[in-house]
Amino acid sequence: MKYSIVIFILVFCTLKINAQNLNNVQFPEMIRPQVRKEISIPDIPEYLTLKCDFHMHTVFSDGIVWPEVRVDEAWREGLDVIAITDHIENQPSKKFISGDHNSSFELAQKEAEVKNIILIHAGEITRSMPPGHLNALFITDANKLDVEGAEDALKEAKKQGAFIIWNHPGWKAQQPDTCLLMPMHEDFLRKGLINGIEVFNEKEYYPVTLDWCLKRKIAVIGTSDIHDITSMIYDLVNSHRPMTLVFAKSRTLESVKEAMFSNRTVAYFGNMLAGPEYLLNEIFKASVKIRSTGHSDEDKQDLFEVSNTSAIQYVIDFGSDDKLTLQPGASVIIPSNNMLRGEIKIVNLLTGTNQCLHTKFSFQN
Amino acid sequence: MKYSIVIFILVFCTLKINAQNLNNVQFPEMIRPQVRKEISIPDIPEYLTLKCDFHMHTVFSDGIVWPEVRVDEAWREGLDVIAITDHIENQPSKKFISGDHNSSFELAQKEAEVKNIILIHAGEITRSMPPGHLNALFITDANKLDVEGAEDALKEAKKQGAFIIWNHPGWKAQQPDTCLLMPMHEDFLRKGLINGIEVFNEKEYYPVTLDWCLKRKIAVIGTSDIHDITSMIYDLVNSHRPMTLVFAKSRTLESVKEAMFSNRTVAYFGNMLAGPEYLLNEIFKASVKIRSTGHSDEDKQDLFEVSNTSAIQYVIDFGSDDKLTLQPGASVIIPSNNMLRGEIKIVNLLTGTNQCLHTKFSFQN
Amino acid sequence: MKYSIVIFILVFCTLKINAQNLNNVQFPEMIRPQVRKEISIPDIPEYLTLKCDFHMHTVFSDGIVWPEVRVDEAWREGLDVIAITDHIENQPSKKFISGDHNSSFELAQKEAEVKNIILIHAGEITRSMPPGHLNALFITDANKLDVEGAEDALKEAKKQGAFIIWNHPGWKAQQPDTCLLMPMHEDFLRKGLINGIEVFNEKEYYPVTLDWCLKRKIAVIGTSDIHDITSMIYDLVNSHRPMTLVFAKSRTLESVKEAMFSNRTVAYFGNMLAGPEYLLNEIFKASVKIRSTGHSDEDKQDLFEVSNTSAIQYVIDFGSDDKLTLQPGASVIIPSNNMLRGEIKIVNLLTGTNQCLHTKFSFQN
Amino acid sequence: MKYSIVIFILVFCTLKINAQNLNNVQFPEMIRPQVRKEISIPDIPEYLTLKCDFHMHTVFSDGIVWPEVRVDEAWREGLDVIAITDHIENQPSKKFISGDHNSSFELAQKEAEVKNIILIHAGEITRSMPPGHLNALFITDANKLDVEGAEDALKEAKKQGAFIIWNHPGWKAQQPDTCLLMPMHEDFLRKGLINGIEVFNEKEYYPVTLDWCLKRKIAVIGTSDIHDITSMIYDLVNSHRPMTLVFAKSRTLESVKEAMFSNRTVAYFGNMLAGPEYLLNEIFKASVKIRSTGHSDEDKQDLFEVSNTSAIQYVIDFGSDDKLTLQPGASVIIPSNNMLRGEIKIVNLLTGTNQCLHTKFSFQN
């Protein structure tokens, strides 16, 4: 049977009109399905890999959406955990918006339950540099953070049990030519008033801060800092919003907090991941499989299949000019040779300011 | 030169990190371009074809976005004209939102200028059936519509020069089994208090109302009635939100108003257009071209190229079993025969409750 | 930090030109990655789920591509097994093509090894109805099938160990108004000369044949019968070519043959699967998970998350008007109620000519 | 009316099965529409802009498809003109392919008529360097080019009226470290035996050759040199194959030939165009419009709308750090200032080896 169609039929919608009543014809197919799309990043031994965004705004500060939208976006995008971090000190729409610093959290809470999203009570302490902007997570009353001194606000947050993140340390509005750890930050770090740093914010990466986090053993954080609508800012079809991966013992608020204070976090932005070497290595091992095909090529080289079951695109450097890009959910077949057995660099897994993961393939039978 | 690549390189992002400073590496390519995408629907002789949405909500009634978002969405989606129609009588977020019935218009106005969107001052008069919900467009003070009687509200709107649309007449919450023109609507029509009817709202089509509009010579309207975010509800990549096409003498507020009171409107939803026959015929003629290729097929039939330069997908019925779907921006080649010369039906151009456009191709040289 | 970009930069390509030599600037990013995309259909207890296409053509009969293209397509599309089934009796390009009936198999064999695709030696016995067209799989010499009588050809195939499929039994060119099992087919079935039937071919479904297969316990087959290029005929981004799922003990030629003779096959076309009830039930159970979220909605109903980890879109009928579409890789949250506990129908899993799968959810902790 | 759907219905295919007969249910919607997608590049004053690919292979040399596939691909992709250029001297499948050097042209001719594609009779003269590979277009008998000396072959082509292109001059297999115009090429240029040069081939750009063409006033050529299937190599959804734009007086073989000998050609690859300055300027002017919106921003700057109606993505450099990317079919609004009135550089319009177009906006009323 040979295919040869010139004229082609597609008359669903119109047929439907005839087939049904004339009062009200429904076109549910015009509406996009309201579903959650999971992000395929594997769990690692002992831990669940939770996808988290710890920085976002609503109309209760300088954002443009109602709080429940942040939950709904997170659900659709496959996130597990979010914190709404409206500015304590910056509320340009105040003339039209009443409520207090806890309102956005309270308004989002019911939707978070319905969508099974872990919602962290939070707020953004917003100052000029130093110390700049800091997010206090896991608080119980944001109104009490509305005090004069930055350090006083942080200490109040700590009293509530907060995990505190220094936001966008290299933001040009506050550090136009530099990204410095100032004496006040050193002081806060010593006092335990900074527990993590955003190495990535919105579309900016601050490479120097990755070593800061890793050497001081505080959490590596990546966030969207979304004010707008995520789908208008990020390409959610082919990519994802910037986020933090948290490696937690269970999918609960308490476990997330424990994991963050234990520094088990990785920033995920574009096709890059930045964080502790051992975590990146586990993710890579859980994502990429290599095995013999049982066949060989014309040069008698054994052929191996390298498969990537994750949503992460890996770029593998074999040490010479040979680089291999492993697309999400795809596999390639390559001839065995020494390079497959030797050390490889994973160019997009950043283990330090100037460093990426060095590892080896684990061959499967 | 024969192509044979096994290993493939894509290392933009990562290369970039090395190439630049370590304080702040920008990834503008992670952010979607903020641009307007034009909808290719041709103008017709004497008139510009303006894309309009006359029904939408913000946090100032039961919507979930700040007013300027509605302008920004409209700009991105290639619309020319919008009306924000917050309910006069339904404001579930009142506890947190202050301002009056004009606030959403006023807050969107500056953004409308910056984005060159024509913003119509409007409000939704929201009652149980009859008369149901009605949008008053081109008003000057929405606060004055906040009166007890529905007819009084409409008369006040009229005093301000309003164009009034009866919204979703067949909505199941108000007419579960029917879509009736009730005596009160007849009365309002006689008094000029209804100037158009939504034959399409969100995802619902009320076929019976199309004849009502065409016979009474009032405007055929299609709207999104968006409360949510348009990109989450509609597939804006492959399709568009429901809208009204207005055939105006110029791209001004006054021309839009003149065109609507002159009944030069068409509802556009999915791949369907509903409205007066002469307008649909002009759009079809401006969209679809047919011309001889100068060649013939194996059966000595002349071959003709049929091209569709518009964004509308046309389904052409040649009267037998033969149907042709003309995709947006695409062309097909078909053998000449009697069917090309005879009457054709355009299945997706609705000229009445039970009727579609009958027309003929105009052959080009 | 609030986002507000008007001007946007994307200058990779052009920057590159300056950065490199003027002799030869490579743009590997212009070339699509040459990768295999796995189709996510879960394995079932005891068996691997292999994706197979048993019907396709090359320039060695009336196809338009060189044999190795069929292997390459299959690899990209995530198939595991193919049979090239060039017509024994129909070779319109004979004037330009030499070789014999084994040539296409032989030419594709090396590529099959390199791409790790299981390639079945096969040929299509091509007669007018009855018996119509039949594919002989797992043969050793296609030239010997080039004999006068259809039954003689089939018997020769059997001598070589063939599995024989009756192709497109309801093809309008051979059965314009019917799809009848003729006496000759009854005879062949009795003699074991037909071991499976195509219930789906290219874009045609023959519902009546599904019961024939299930009652006689022969294999249910779906194929592309591709002559053209698969990516031009099927939407490989959002869907897949028609295929047969084979449930095999291992990924070897022998296991595929064993599974087919044991009738462990399902036809997969569009979002439909057709085959034995127990196999469809296993696939559904391995694809869809349901679990409590631990939360409840405003009406105190417990909320459950239903997740679909497969590439198959399931349409679940709860017995009333309520239908649920579960998209690939997506999940929804729905309130618990009796309908979740009762019998459900999976509308797109066809267990008979007029029947679909009836099953129940297995709740997880 | 507020949107709140949890359960979503999409049951087209399955409904269909019940609605129709049980012998043969057609799913035409499973098959991709077989249509031509036009490439929106505007015509320029006096000339039509024809999209052409002058370099491609079939099974009659080292390609993998039957000749008519090349016509069908071209038609789908919106091309107007192609030349099939099978190697005269390289036919790896000779064991299975008979016919002569004219066969691929002859086999594609009928399909070219049916699809209204202008098919140029051609062949590739294939030698080691110098002179390398050369395509002879507009020939009448490819068999006569099968002679020993390269110059003799070119002279024979010339006798037939050929336009001769030097292919991929910087191909690393022939010029690994360089891209040199050798004495033999100088000689051929003097003798009129080279009439154009590929500045782009497949995925390679040879910047140095652009100046060669422009200074010697020979045609700038870009080609795919496709051996494989175009849709597998290039992203035809978001981009296009490499091609040559020819500015012709009419859409005929003769006009194409006249235009090429008159050097009215531009290479188009990715989002780059390379060729004579006056042609690139005309394309830019016909693609991009700028006009006042009549509004101004908060700083009292007039706002202008810049629209791109073409399929080309333009990158505009305003001379400082400000760059603007104009996406296909999109527009942006930017504040008027001196930069809009001054000289602009169009970074992706290459007017020389180290040069891009310098131009100015023409403001519209």
Side-chain angles (χ1 to χ4, degrees), chain D residues 40-43 280-289 306-312 314 326 329-330:
Chain D
S40 293
I41 301 181
D43 294 328
L280 297 182
N281 202 28
E282 290 293 353
I283 293 176
F284 180 71
K285 275 166 55 187
S287 301
V288 175
K289 306 295 177 195
V306 184
S307 303
N308 176 9
T309 57
S310 78
I312 302 162
Y314 291 104
L326 264 182

Side-chain angles (χ1 to χ4, degrees), chain A residues 203, chain B residues 28 31-35 75, chain C residues 3-10, chain D residues 306 315-318 320-326 332-335 337 339-340:
Chain A
K203 61 173 190 299
Chain B
I31 306 292
R32 293 183 56 193
Q34 308 297 306
V35 296
W75 177 70
Chain C
Y3 176 71
S4 67
I5 274 191
V6 180
I7 291 179
F8 177 75
I9 305 170
L10 192 82
Chain D
V306 184
V315 181
I316 302 172
D317 182 344
F318 290 101
S320 55
D321 273 353
D322 295 319
K323 285 200 186 62
L324 170 67
T325 296
L326 264 182
V332 294
I333 291 180
I334 46 180
N337 49 34
M339 81 182 188
L340 286 184

Side-chain angles (χ1 to χ4, degrees), chain C residues 7-8 22 24-27 32 34 64 66 95-96 98 170 203-205 207-208 231-233 323 325, chain D residues 7-8 22 24-27 32 34 64 66 95-96 98 170 203-205 207-208 231 233 323 325:
Chain C
I7 291 179
F8 177 75
L22 298 175
N24 184 319
V25 183
Q26 295 281 325
F27 291 92
R32 294 182 58 194
Q34 309 296 306
I64 58 172
W66 201 245
K95 189 179 153 197
F96 299 99
S98 43
K203 63 175 190 296
E204 292 185 354
Y205 174 49
V208 74
S231 62
M232 290 197 180
I233 298 301
K323 285 197 187 66
T325 296
Chain D
I7 289 178
F8 177 76
L22 299 175
N24 183 320
V25 184
Q26 294 280 325
F27 292 92
R32 294 182 58 192
Q34 310 296 307
I64 58 172
W66 201 245
K95 186 178 156 198
F96 299 97
S98 43
K203 61 174 191 299
E204 292 185 353
Y205 175 48
V208 74
S231 62
I233 298 301
K323 285 200 186 62
T325 296

Side-chain angles (χ1 to χ4, degrees), chain B residues 1 3-5 7-12 15, chain C residues 12-31, chain D residues 168-176 178 199-207 269 272:
Chain B
M1 197 166 24
Y3 175 73
S4 69
I5 274 191
I7 290 180
F8 177 73
I9 306 172
L10 191 82
V11 283
F12 283 142
L15 276 177
Chain C
F12 283 139
C13 298
T14 41
L15 277 176
K16 218 168 146 179
I17 296 174
N18 302 323
Q20 299 198 13
N21 81 71
L22 298 175
N23 292 321
N24 184 319
V25 183
Q26 295 281 325
F27 291 92
E29 68 277 15
M30 280 192 194
I31 306 292
Chain D
H168 44 74
W171 182 28
K172 285 177 186 293
Q174 295 198 321
Q175 296 218 50
T178 57
V199 303
F200 193 91
N201 176 292
E202 196 203 25
K203 61 174 191 299
E204 292 185 353
Y205 175 48
Y206 317 107
F269 49 102
M272 281 163 283

